[in-house]
Amino acid sequence: MNWNQLLCRERERPHSSNNENEIRTEFRRDYHRIIGSASFRRLQDKAQVYPLMRGDFVRTRLTHSLEVSSFAESLGDIIFRKLELPENDIREDCRDILRCAGLIHDIGNPPFGHFGEFAIRRWFKDNLPRLKFKGKPVSELLNEQMTEDFMNFEGNAQALRIITRLHCLTDMSTGMNLTYALLNTIIKYPVRSVDINKKSGDIRTKKMGFFYSENELFEKITNATGADQSRYPLTYILEAADDIAYLTADIEDAVVKGFIDFRTLIEELFSGARDYIDAPGGLYDTVYAAACSLDNSYMDVHKLGMPDPKQKSVQQWVVKLQNMLIYAAADSFCDNYDAIMDGTFKTDLLTSSPAQGLSKLLGDIAYDYAFRSKSVVSSEISEHTIMNSLLDNIVDMALNFDLEDSSGFHKDLSEVLSENYVAICRNKCRGASESEECYYRIQLATDCISGMTDSYAEKFYRMLNGFGDQRYV
């Protein structure tokens, strides 16, 4: 792979404007298209970790995406300064692409965080065998990739679909019409659902990166950038920025919400350091340095006489931690640059750095004390009920709403959902085979549900179940 081709400025729909006063680069034009979109604004009401929990402090998908955007841009700047590539404009272009990619990397996530993705997969595994379209079993109509798309539903693949197909501005076929370089950056897993192999040892096959409906688009993007079936180089940087953002934010949010107290956090860090005492590659030193840094932050804040010194010290420590992880990821990219550029690098940047143990430890702490806390698990029970109800009704509607024997309920439901998504579905179904029509109709349901914010999904659930303005709890 080479940067001249990787930084492809082409778009699916060529420009129709010849503005002589335009001084923005193509990648900065992408930035303005993103921040002005409704899909980006909806991230403010999608949870990062704590769905249906009201509060002003904890992260939403929007604040998380802004953090990832900032980290990705900084990482790109550090990396390309270190590499000292001969082409002068590579660093600036990569920074602009990474800033945009951070904003949209989670734009396809359904309501209720990663639990929403799990709920969609679980529903299709439980219910696909019973579904029928025009009297025929759906399981017999869909080909293998179509079926696996729903069984392995993925927010990353939905992100590509939203920005290229579901965002309606000029037409109903090219979405935001972003540059191919940016689109390739957000394809974290350049494989189809039928090619997922979690045991391959290659991170590119861990999940799928695009749906059957975007097969041709994927080929168009990767042929234009020259990445083909390899992972796009900037994707590693975006992934590292995402990891750094959530690993540190999850700990801070857990402390603020009282899921883990300061002393327990200190003990977990030093205990985790001891687990790596004989490990090679500086794993122990990195974890131990992080633990000492938190202890030192507390001493500094305590000396200043600030209120709530434990919480303040964690917030101060998180900034130091982020800096530590950013430089570890940057060094990892530079150390593995040749393998990344020839498509043979098989892991993520933090895993191949001395920060591997620290990143795993932070993830384990967040899972044990935040993700499995009683309040979060209780919320997931409610979210499971909401998602199942939405899928029960909306998938049934999508398969039947405009057929001759469809019920009035199906037609009514189609009219209160996204007009754009329904129109896109109708357009795709024209001239399609029966198998493809069935697929596109079910995809209409996942499009509609993924486009909902947490509060809208909750509200729509109440409407479907006759609760009116009452709470569902």
Side-chain angles (χ1 to χ4, degrees), residues 72-355:
E73 183 179 10
S74 294
L75 260 171
D77 190 40
I78 294 168
I79 287 169
F80 290 100
R81 283 181 186 276
K82 283 177 173 285
L83 289 174
E84 296 182 338
L85 299 177
E87 298 88 341
N88 293 326
D89 56 347
I90 287 180
R91 179 168 61 89
E92 184 175 351
D93 284 344
C94 287
R95 283 176 51 191
D96 288 342
I97 293 169
L98 288 163
R99 180 171 62 151
C100 293
L103 296 179
I104 58 176
H105 79 285
D106 272 351
I107 208 166
N109 282 59
F112 313 133
H114 289 296
F115 180 80
E117 290 176 292
F118 169 80
I120 292 174
R121 295 181 204 125
R122 182 76 263 169
W123 189 92
F124 280 108
K125 288 174 183 177
D126 292 341
N127 292 278
L128 195 66
R130 70 166 179 82
L131 298 178
K132 291 188 176 182
F133 177 57
K134 296 181 180 179
K136 299 177 182 179
V138 163
S139 57
E140 295 179 8
L141 289 171
L142 302 183
N143 66 29
E144 184 183 7
Q145 185 185 357
M146 292 172 180
T147 300
E148 291 301 313
D149 281 359
F150 297 120
M151 298 292 193
N152 296 278
F153 179 87
E154 180 61 43
N156 291 295
Q158 188 68 19
L160 180 66
R161 179 162 172 76
I162 284 178
I163 61 179
T164 62
R165 295 293 176 258
L166 302 182
H167 176 84
C168 291
L169 188 60
T170 302
D171 57 31
M172 291 193 295
S173 62
T174 56
M176 294 183 191
N177 199 35
L178 303 175
T179 57
Y180 286 149
L182 174 54
L183 294 179
N184 211 160
T185 302
I186 69 161
I187 302 175
K188 291 178 68 175
Y189 310 101
V191 297
R192 303 173 302 160
S193 56
V194 291
D195 298 319
I196 295 171
N197 184 354
K198 297 182 180 181
K199 298 180 180 179
S200 71
D202 190 338
I203 195 169
R204 63 184 287 277
T205 66
K206 181 180 177 181
K207 300 176 182 178
M208 66 170 166
F210 56 97
F211 296 121
Y212 169 87
S213 50
E214 280 70 61
N215 278 351
E216 292 183 6
L217 175 64
F218 172 78
E219 294 293 335
K220 191 181 294 185
I221 292 168
T222 54
N223 286 340
T225 63
D228 296 321
Q229 305 301 310
S230 299
R231 216 184 200 202
Y232 190 77
L234 295 185
T235 304
Y236 290 99
I237 302 175
L238 173 64
E239 178 181 54
D242 188 19
D243 291 345
I244 293 167
Y246 79 73
L247 285 170
T248 55
D250 289 351
I251 297 295
E252 182 182 3
D253 288 354
V255 169
V256 171
K257 292 190 72 66
F259 292 143
I260 181 171
D261 61 71
F262 180 83
R263 184 46 51 191
T264 301
L265 178 57
I266 283 280
E267 291 171 356
E268 288 283 1
L269 289 169
F270 279 109
S271 174
R274 288 192 292 273
D275 291 341
Y276 290 99
I277 199 163
D278 295 320
L283 298 183
Y284 169 78
D285 292 340
T286 304
V287 179
Y288 184 74
C292 291
S293 178
L294 177 56
D295 216 7
N296 293 336
S297 289
Y298 175 75
M299 297 300 294
D300 292 342
V301 172
H302 185 70
K303 288 177 182 178
L304 294 173
M306 297 180 69
D308 199 356
K310 293 179 179 178
Q311 181 173 314
K312 292 290 193 303
S313 62
V314 170
Q315 292 171 326
Q316 182 186 89
W317 170 71
V318 161
V319 176
K320 297 177 182 178
L321 197 60
Q322 289 166 348
N323 191 62
M324 181 188 303
L325 293 171
I326 284 172
Y327 277 92
D331 288 342
S332 180
F333 188 96
C334 295
D335 292 343
N336 295 284
Y337 181 72
D338 290 340
I340 289 170
M341 293 302 289
D342 66 23
T344 59
F345 188 60
K346 296 184 177 181
T347 186
D348 63 88
L349 297 181
L350 290 178
T351 296
S352 62
S353 79

Side-chain angles (χ1 to χ4, degrees), residues 49-53 257-259 369-383:
V49 177
Y50 307 105
L52 302 181
M53 292 186 184
K257 292 190 72 66
F259 292 143
Y369 290 93
F371 296 172
R372 301 314 300 164
S373 65
K374 186 175 181 179
S375 58
V376 170
V377 173
S378 297
S379 289
E380 287 181 353
I381 294 172
S382 299
E383 295 149 17

